[in-house]
Amino acid sequence: MHQFYNNAAIHQPSAKLFDAVDLSAQQFVSAVLVDYVFRMGVNPRFVAKAAETSPAEMHRFSQQELKELDIVWEADNFEPWAIEPYGGGVVAFSRSKDKSRMATAFCRKDKVPRLLITGPWRFNEGELRQIIAGLGGIEVFGQQFPKEALSVRTANKAPAIEVSMARFSLAAIDTAKTAGTSISQYGPHVYWADFDFRIAKEGASRALAIAFRNCI
């Protein structure tokens, strides 16, 4: 990827070929490109990368840039963590890129860290409880919790799973080996894809620390 250009300008880079109308047209094209990229869900910095690369060069995006600029898009992947006020405290949250699932970290008066996962689920509340009863437990950011730490409740008129995470370690988030999969079942049971959430690590330790200091 590189700048858009005019052939005449390439062959005669120092020639006076552009007037005020041309300059206005160039700005109009830039505006159209930024608007198009934004509408496609890509970070507008994509256009900036092109603008800073000369026509004689070619910028090839790294895997990190592809993710950071949302050039590649995986619906199930979760976005970086953020915080927002809720009740008398603060909650940390991360949504899947298609906005269909959400992870919310918070604590109540008992100060126990909690994680709430909202759907959509393929099962109703009763079916989810039966499935949880058959789990060996759950793993959150590389830390294991027994199935007794899980409960099912309604959130926004839909089933949700809440994980009570006593002795949860914020320091373990960044060192967790499960970088791609933050929440998954463990134990002697068959892998169940519905419990596989690719919750982002980005911003997690800081956002969760704030939420767990400001219980709702």
Side-chain angles (χ1 to χ4, degrees):
M1 185 186 71
H2 52 66
Q3 299 170 354
F4 58 89
Y5 62 93
N6 184 300
N7 279 328
I10 293 294
H11 296 299
Q12 303 180 59
S14 60
K16 297 180 180 180
L17 301 174
F18 294 91
D19 56 23
V21 175
D22 294 320
L23 180 60
S24 177
Q26 294 284 337
Q27 293 183 69
F28 177 76
V29 171
S30 295
V32 170
L33 287 173
V34 171
D35 183 66
Y36 174 76
V37 167
F38 177 76
R39 289 173 181 271
M40 292 296 292
V42 177
N43 192 307
R45 286 190 294 136
F46 174 88
V47 179
K49 285 290 184 182
E52 65 189 24
T53 306
S54 76
E57 300 175 334
M58 180 68 72
H59 179 80
R60 291 178 172 81
F61 290 100
S62 66
Q63 288 298 319
Q64 184 68 20
E65 287 176 321
L66 290 173
K67 293 179 180 179
E68 289 180 350
L69 299 178
D70 293 322
I71 298 171
V72 294
W73 194 81
E74 295 183 40
D76 293 337
N77 284 358
F78 278 65
E79 298 173 338
W81 286 82
I83 59 173
E84 65 180 5
Y86 184 88
V90 174
V91 299
F93 66 92
S94 174
R95 293 186 178 92
S96 60
K97 288 187 178 293
D98 65 358
K99 311 301 182 186
S100 66
R101 291 182 173 181
M102 183 172 178
T104 306
F106 64 97
C107 59
R108 298 193 180 97
K109 292 181 180 180
D110 59 9
K111 304 292 185 180
V112 175
R114 300 174 187 274
L115 186 69
L116 182 70
I117 302 293
T118 54
W121 301 95
R122 293 183 296 155
F123 312 99
N124 59 37
E125 290 187 29
E127 291 170 331
L128 279 175
R129 290 190 179 94
Q130 290 180 351
I131 292 169
I132 288 173
L135 292 177
I138 193 168
E139 185 176 287
V140 181
F141 289 120
Q143 302 170 64
Q144 294 183 345
F145 301 93
K147 63 184 178 184
E148 290 76 18
L150 281 73
S151 61
V152 179
R153 65 182 179 89
T154 300
N156 297 322
K157 300 181 180 180
I161 292 179
E162 183 175 311
V163 186
S164 177
M165 304 184 296
R167 296 183 297 279
F168 180 79
S169 171
L170 290 168
I173 293 177
D174 295 327
T175 59
K177 294 181 180 180
T178 51
T181 303
S182 296
I183 300 180
S184 60
Q185 72 174 59
Y186 71 87
H189 299 277
V190 177
Y191 179 81
W192 184 45
D194 290 75
F195 263 66
D196 180 24
F197 296 91
R198 298 179 182 179
I199 296 178
K201 283 186 179 181
E202 186 178 351
S205 56
R206 180 176 298 180
L208 269 63
I210 295 173
F212 295 157
R213 287 198 305 266
N214 298 273
C215 298
I216 60 176

